[in-house]
Coordinates of all heavy atoms in Angstrom, one line a residue:
W154 N -1.2 -12.9 -3.8 CA -1.4 -11.7 -2.9 C -2.7 -11.0 -3.3 O -3.2 -11.2 -4.4 CB -0.2 -10.8 -2.9 CG 1.0 -11.4 -2.3 CD1 1.6 -12.5 -2.6 CD2 1.9 -10.7 -1.3 NE1 2.8 -12.7 -1.9 CE2 3.0 -11.6 -1.1 CE3 1.8 -9.5 -0.6 CZ2 4.0 -11.3 -0.2 CZ3 2.9 -9.2 0.3 CH2 3.9 -10.1 0.5
T155 N -3.2 -10.1 -2.4 CA -4.3 -9.3 -2.8 C -3.9 -7.9 -2.8 O -2.9 -7.5 -2.2 CB -5.5 -9.5 -1.8 OG1 -5.0 -9.2 -0.5 CG2 -6.1 -10.9 -1.9
I156 N -4.7 -7.1 -3.6 CA -4.4 -5.6 -3.6 C -5.0 -5.1 -2.3 O -6.2 -5.4 -2.0 CB -5.0 -5.0 -4.8 CG1 -4.2 -5.4 -6.0 CG2 -5.0 -3.4 -4.7 CD1 -4.7 -5.0 -7.4
D157 N -4.3 -4.3 -1.5 CA -4.7 -3.8 -0.2 C -5.5 -2.5 -0.4 O -4.9 -1.5 -0.8 CB -3.4 -3.6 0.7 CG -3.8 -3.3 2.1 OD1 -5.0 -3.3 2.5 OD2 -2.8 -3.2 2.9
K158 N -6.8 -2.6 -0.3 CA -7.6 -1.4 -0.6 C -7.5 -0.3 0.4 O -7.7 0.8 0.1 CB -9.1 -1.9 -0.8 CG -9.3 -2.9 -1.9 CD -9.3 -2.2 -3.2 CE -9.9 -3.1 -4.3 NZ -9.0 -4.0 -5.0
S159 N -7.2 -0.7 1.7 CA -7.2 0.4 2.7 C -5.9 0.2 3.5 O -6.0 -0.2 4.7 CB -8.4 0.3 3.6 OG -8.6 -1.0 4.0
P160 N -4.7 0.5 2.9 CA -3.5 0.3 3.7 C -3.4 1.4 4.8 O -3.9 2.5 4.7 CB -2.4 0.5 2.7 CG -3.0 1.4 1.6 CD -4.5 1.0 1.6
P161 N -2.8 1.0 6.0 CA -2.6 2.0 7.0 C -1.6 3.0 6.5 O -0.8 2.8 5.5 CB -2.0 1.2 8.2 CG -1.5 -0.1 7.6 CD -2.3 -0.3 6.3
P162 N -1.5 4.2 7.0 CA -0.6 5.3 6.5 C 0.8 4.8 6.6 O 1.3 4.1 7.5 CB -0.9 6.5 7.5 CG -1.7 5.9 8.6 CD -2.3 4.7 8.2
F163 N 1.6 5.2 5.6 CA 3.0 4.7 5.5 C 4.0 5.9 5.7 O 4.8 6.1 4.9 CB 3.2 4.2 4.0 CG 3.2 2.7 3.9 CD1 2.0 2.0 4.0 CD2 4.3 2.0 3.7 CE1 1.9 0.6 3.9 CE2 4.3 0.6 3.5 CZ 3.1 -0.1 3.7
G164 N 3.8 6.6 6.7 CA 4.8 7.7 6.9 C 4.2 9.0 6.4 O 3.1 9.1 6.0
S165 N 5.0 10.1 6.4 CA 4.5 11.4 6.2 C 3.7 11.7 4.9 O 2.7 12.2 5.0 CB 5.7 12.4 6.3 OG 6.7 12.0 5.4
D166 N 4.2 11.4 3.8 CA 3.4 11.4 2.6 C 4.1 10.6 1.5 O 4.6 11.1 0.5 CB 3.2 12.9 2.1 CG 2.0 13.0 1.1 OD1 1.4 11.9 0.8 OD2 1.7 14.1 0.7
D167 N 4.2 9.3 1.8 CA 5.1 8.5 1.1 C 4.6 8.3 -0.4 O 5.4 7.9 -1.2 CB 5.2 7.1 1.8 CG 6.2 6.2 1.1 OD1 7.3 6.7 0.9 OD2 5.9 5.1 0.9
S168 N 3.4 8.6 -0.7 CA 2.9 8.3 -2.0 C 2.9 9.5 -2.9 O 2.5 9.4 -4.1 CB 1.5 7.6 -2.0 OG 0.6 8.5 -1.3
Y169 N 3.2 10.7 -2.4 CA 3.1 11.9 -3.2 C 4.1 11.9 -4.4 O 5.3 11.6 -4.2 CB 3.4 13.2 -2.4 CG 3.3 14.4 -3.2 CD1 2.1 14.9 -3.5 CD2 4.4 15.1 -3.6 CE1 1.9 16.1 -4.3 CE2 4.3 16.3 -4.3 CZ 3.1 16.8 -4.7 OH 3.0 17.9 -5.4
G170 N 3.6 12.2 -5.6 CA 4.5 12.2 -6.8 C 5.0 10.8 -7.2 O 6.0 10.7 -7.8
K171 N 4.3 9.7 -6.8 CA 4.7 8.4 -7.1 C 3.5 7.6 -7.6 O 2.4 7.9 -7.3 CB 5.3 7.7 -5.9 CG 6.5 8.3 -5.3 CD 7.0 7.6 -4.1 CE 8.2 8.3 -3.5 NZ 8.6 7.7 -2.2
S172 N 3.8 6.6 -8.4 CA 2.8 5.5 -8.7 C 3.0 4.4 -7.6 O 4.1 4.0 -7.4 CB 3.1 4.9 -10.0 OG 2.9 5.8 -11.1
V173 N 2.0 4.1 -6.9 CA 2.1 3.2 -5.8 C 1.1 2.1 -5.8 O -0.1 2.3 -6.2 CB 1.8 4.0 -4.5 CG1 1.7 3.1 -3.2 CG2 2.9 5.0 -4.3
I174 N 1.5 0.9 -5.5 CA 0.5 -0.2 -5.2 C 0.8 -0.8 -3.9 O 2.0 -1.0 -3.5 CB 0.6 -1.3 -6.4 CG1 -0.6 -2.3 -6.2 CG2 1.9 -2.0 -6.4 CD1 -1.9 -1.8 -6.5
D175 N -0.3 -1.1 -3.1 CA -0.1 -1.8 -1.8 C -0.7 -3.2 -1.9 O -1.9 -3.4 -2.4 CB -0.9 -1.0 -0.8 CG -0.2 0.3 -0.4 OD1 0.9 0.2 0.1 OD2 -0.8 1.4 -0.7
L176 N 0.1 -4.2 -1.6 CA -0.3 -5.6 -1.6 C -0.3 -6.2 -0.2 O 0.4 -5.7 0.7 CB 0.6 -6.4 -2.5 CG 0.7 -5.9 -4.0 CD1 1.7 -6.8 -4.7 CD2 -0.7 -5.9 -4.6
L177 N -1.2 -7.2 0.0 CA -1.4 -7.8 1.3 C -1.3 -9.3 1.2 O -1.9 -9.9 0.3 CB -2.7 -7.4 1.8 CG -3.2 -8.0 3.2 CD1 -2.3 -7.5 4.3 CD2 -4.6 -7.5 3.4
L178 N -0.6 -9.9 2.1 CA -0.6 -11.4 2.3 C -1.0 -11.7 3.7 O -0.3 -11.3 4.7 CB 0.7 -12.0 1.9 CG 0.9 -13.5 2.0 CD1 0.0 -14.2 1.0 CD2 2.3 -13.9 1.9
V179 N -2.0 -12.5 3.9 CA -2.3 -13.1 5.2 C -2.4 -14.6 5.0 O -2.9 -15.1 3.9 CB -3.7 -12.6 5.8 CG1 -3.5 -11.1 6.2 CG2 -4.8 -12.8 4.9
P180 N -1.9 -15.4 6.0 CA -1.8 -16.9 5.7 C -3.2 -17.5 5.7 O -4.1 -17.1 6.5 CB -1.0 -17.4 6.9 CG -1.1 -16.3 7.9 CD -1.4 -15.0 7.3

């Protein structure tokens, strides 16, 4: 997989106060 550098927004403020990584898979 690749690290998703510009993920679309994930809801109201899903990453506040968290450690977060976004990954991406395209075939």
Side-chain angles (χ1 to χ4, degrees):
W154 293 51
T155 54
I156 293 174
D157 193 355
K158 297 286 196 272
S159 51
F163 260 72
S165 49
D166 195 359
D167 188 44
S168 59
Y169 180 73
K171 296 176 180 172
S172 299
V173 171
I174 188 70
D175 289 295
L176 300 180
L177 175 65
L178 180 67
V179 290

